[in-house]
Amino acid sequence: MSETSTLIRATGRRKTATARVRLIPEGTGKITVNNREFADYCYDEQQQKVVNLPFKTVDAENKFDLIVTVSGGGPIGQSVAISHALSRALQKHNPEWRIALKKAGLLTRDPRRRERGKPGQPGARKRFQFSKR
């Protein structure tokens, strides 16, 4: 199997979503997410733009095939996790692309997470109404 020698693997994360990507060079631009078509899985146009942004940044659209396994989080977090993993894989394939990907902010993992709810109050920051008398 000659594909496994050129197969590039990478992982990307956002909030609780984790995406594992297998990038296949000399492809046709086919993207498969969790054994489903890309348009089926990323049903919103905005999500599709987020996932394709690394390809557009390095001008490599329709040059790679992409197999993605993603779990956890919601649709937006998953699409950003896929984008993060794809950026890392493209950087492994061609280290010269790192500058463009870094400038676009695609290699930085977004550390923001949901803040936990504190005990004795209704939310993370919200307090019950205070009555002086």
Side-chain angles (χ1 to χ4, degrees):
M1 197 162 152
S2 62
E3 277 189 72
T4 50
S5 61
T6 60
L7 196 71
I8 301 161
R9 296 173 189 266
T11 303
R13 292 185 183 86
R14 170 72 168 103
K15 291 187 178 181
T16 57
T18 303
R20 292 189 313 260
V21 163
R22 289 179 287 179
L23 188 70
I24 304 165
E26 292 96 35
T28 58
K30 185 172 187 248
I31 302 174
T32 308
V33 183
N34 289 350
N35 297 320
R36 288 167 57 186
E37 287 295 318
F38 176 60
D40 276 352
Y41 197 85
C42 295
Y43 51 87
D44 188 29
E45 187 180 323
Q46 186 64 32
Q47 294 170 355
Q48 293 175 8
K49 283 183 182 178
V50 167
V51 171
N52 285 320
L53 188 60
F55 284 135
K56 288 183 180 178
T57 304
V58 296
D59 197 35
E61 294 174 277
N62 300 326
K63 294 181 182 175
F64 297 93
D65 284 343
L66 193 64
I67 301 168
V68 182
T69 306
V70 65
S71 63
I76 304 298
Q78 285 187 353
S79 60
V80 176
I82 294 169
S83 177
H84 186 229
L86 176 57
S87 300
R88 287 176 155 187
L90 287 170
Q91 176 197 339
K92 282 183 185 178
H93 176 72
N94 187 351
E96 294 173 3
W97 288 343
R98 177 180 170 82
I99 298 159
L101 292 168
K102 188 76 173 171
K103 189 174 182 180
L106 296 170
L107 292 174
T108 307
R109 193 230 189 268
D110 194 347
R112 296 176 295 177
R113 297 182 59 99
R114 182 184 159 275
E115 188 174 345
R116 72 178 185 90
K118 313 299 187 301
Q121 59 193 54
R125 301 279 176 104
K126 189 177 181 183
R127 305 283 192 259
F128 288 114
Q129 186 171 1
F130 174 72
S131 173
K132 194 165 190 177
R133 285 176 194 55

